[in-house]
Every structure is written in structure tokens, then in C-alpha cells.
Amino acid sequence: MECKIIDLSTYKRLPVFKLFNRMENPFLSVTLKMDVKKAVEFSKRRGVSFYTVFIHIVSIAANRIPEFRQRIYNDGIIEYDNCISSNIEILDDNSYSYCYLNHNMDWDSYLKYADEERKKSRKNPTSLENTDILNFIYLNGIPMRHYEHLTLPYMSSRDSNPRISWGRYEEDFKGRLMIPITIQIHHAVVDVYQIDLFYKMVEEEISKLAAI
């Protein structure tokens, strides 16, 4: 993955970056419930897991937002041209392994590729992250519960990798299939505006599935 160095001399958020970069807890965590009925229908139509489908949806949405591809590096900021997902694969003994997926491809290519990569990660499990982790977007599905809110772990106060999690979807009184989606970001590089934009991007990607 290629990345560029953000020129802080022209960076409009520099005061905000400096403020939150020195905080002990600089993270924003938001949970919003969204209708994923079209995504569920798509996964059934294609005969693939909803988890596989939703990994692609949220990864595409996140990559469409430059700030979600930005990372704190030394005393500055770098921006990747594309980020891959690091998602959890639950194993038979309820332990887990990591699976790393690219998302700059169409649905047909992705579904075949993701199925193969997920199988590989379960067959040869590892609990160790790839050494080059700055370009990761951490993903985690929690299919056991339809939760209200979730706080996600982070390594240090300078950990600027976005973390996205979702729970079990449930039908509401309107017949919608609602799912809680939690996003946790570092406020030094991402604002509430970009969080709202991410949810809008997820809605857009879900809406496209009806025609695929």
C-alpha cells in the first residue's frame, strides 16, 4: 500500500490534531443502528455469509473517506491510498484468528477471494497481527448479541487505526432488519462529520446491492 505524508504547514486541523494527540483518551466511539435488510437479502441470494458481505460494505465505505485512511506517524500524519481490513475469524474452540482482506475489487471477485482467504485463516490460525498494521481497519462482528453500545480496545493513546464492530441484526416493528454498528476513531485525525459520513456511505453501499 502506498502512503503520503500530510503537509502540516497547510493542514487546516493542525490545532485540533495537536490538542487530541496529547490526550490520554482521544477516542470517539459511536453506535448507530442501521437497516441491513438489503444486505441480508443479497447474502442469501448469493449463498454467502452475511459476515463476508458486511466486511466488504464497511471496508468500502471507510476507504471512501480520506480521514479513515490517515494515521498518526511519529509527530505527523500519513495517508494511505487504500486500507485493508483485519477481521476476526472465530475457530471451532471459540478462540480466534486474524484474516486480512483487500477491498478494491468488484463483488464477484471479492466474494470468491474472501471465501478463500477466510478459509485459509481458519485452517492456519494465528493470533499474531501482521507487522505492518498502520494500514489496517480493524473489524469485528459480534453475532451473538444485538447490543446498545460497545467500547473497543486500543493499544495506546496514539493508536489511530479505525475500529468498526457490529452485532446481531433484529427485525423491528417496521419490518426492518436493524443492526448496531460501532465505530471508534482517534479524534486527532477524524471528526464527527466523517463519522456521520461513514454511516451515510454504508447506507449507500447497502442500497447498491439491490441491483447486483
Side-chain angles (χ1 to χ4, degrees):
M1 305 296 173
E2 296 183 359
C3 65
K4 65 180 181 181
I5 299 174
I6 299 296
D7 184 359
L8 295 184
S9 66
T10 59
Y11 183 58
K12 295 180 180 180
R13 293 183 68 261
L14 185 58
V16 177
F17 171 74
K18 289 182 176 180
L19 172 65
F20 286 98
N21 202 25
R22 63 173 181 261
M23 288 188 177
E24 183 177 349
N25 184 5
F27 304 100
L28 283 174
S29 182
V30 177
T31 300
L32 185 68
K33 294 185 179 181
M34 303 184 70
D35 184 3
V36 294
K37 190 170 185 177
K38 290 181 180 178
V40 174
E41 292 172 345
F42 175 80
S43 65
K44 291 179 179 178
R45 192 164 64 246
R46 288 299 190 97
V48 296
S49 75
F50 174 78
Y51 186 53
T52 300
V53 169
F54 212 61
I55 288 171
H56 200 39
I57 289 171
V58 298
S59 298
I60 292 173
N63 269 292
R64 289 175 64 184
I65 304 169
E67 289 81 2
F68 276 56
R69 293 184 272 107
Q70 293 177 359
R71 304 289 184 268
I72 298 171
Y73 185 73
N74 293 331
D75 295 324
I77 303 171
I78 59 175
E79 181 180 310
Y80 286 91
D81 62 339
N82 181 63
C83 290
I84 65 176
S85 65
S86 171
N87 56 281
I88 298 297
E89 292 292 332
I90 303 299
L91 306 179
D92 291 338
D93 61 358
N94 292 319
S95 62
Y96 64 89
S97 181
Y98 293 104
C99 180
Y100 311 111
L101 296 174
N102 285 294
H103 298 277
N104 53 350
M105 62 188 78
D106 60 51
W107 274 102
D108 289 335
S109 300
Y110 165 76
L111 290 176
K112 180 180 179 181
Y113 154 80
D115 181 61
E116 293 173 352
E117 292 301 311
R118 291 189 62 198
K119 286 178 180 177
K120 287 179 186 178
S121 69
R122 293 193 295 270
K123 185 176 181 180
N124 299 296
T126 174
S127 60
L128 300 176
E129 287 281 20
N130 185 303
T131 53
D132 181 19
I133 66 172
L134 282 182
N135 70 330
F136 285 167
I137 297 173
Y138 292 108
L139 306 181
N140 183 29
I142 306 176
M144 303 81 73
R145 299 290 176 181
H146 183 86
Y147 62 80
E148 295 300 320
H149 188 61
L150 183 70
T151 299
L152 302 168
Y154 52 88
M155 294 181 181
S156 73
S157 61
R158 291 175 60 81
D159 184 347
S160 53
N161 293 62
R163 284 159 167 77
I164 305 169
S165 185
W166 55 92
R168 184 180 66 193
Y169 58 78
E170 291 185 353
E171 187 173 358
D172 69 1
F173 69 98
K174 294 182 179 180
R176 301 176 300 180
L177 294 180
M178 304 301 289
I179 197 171
I181 307 174
T182 300
I183 181 163
Q184 185 166 294
I185 55 84
H186 200 298
H187 205 355
V189 291
V190 182
D191 291 321
V192 173
Y193 171 80
Q194 285 80 29
I195 292 178
D196 179 65
L197 186 59
F198 165 76
Y199 286 113
K200 290 179 180 177
M201 296 295 186
V202 170
E203 287 180 329
E204 286 185 14
E205 294 303 324
I206 291 174
S207 68
K208 294 176 183 178
L209 295 178
I212 298 176

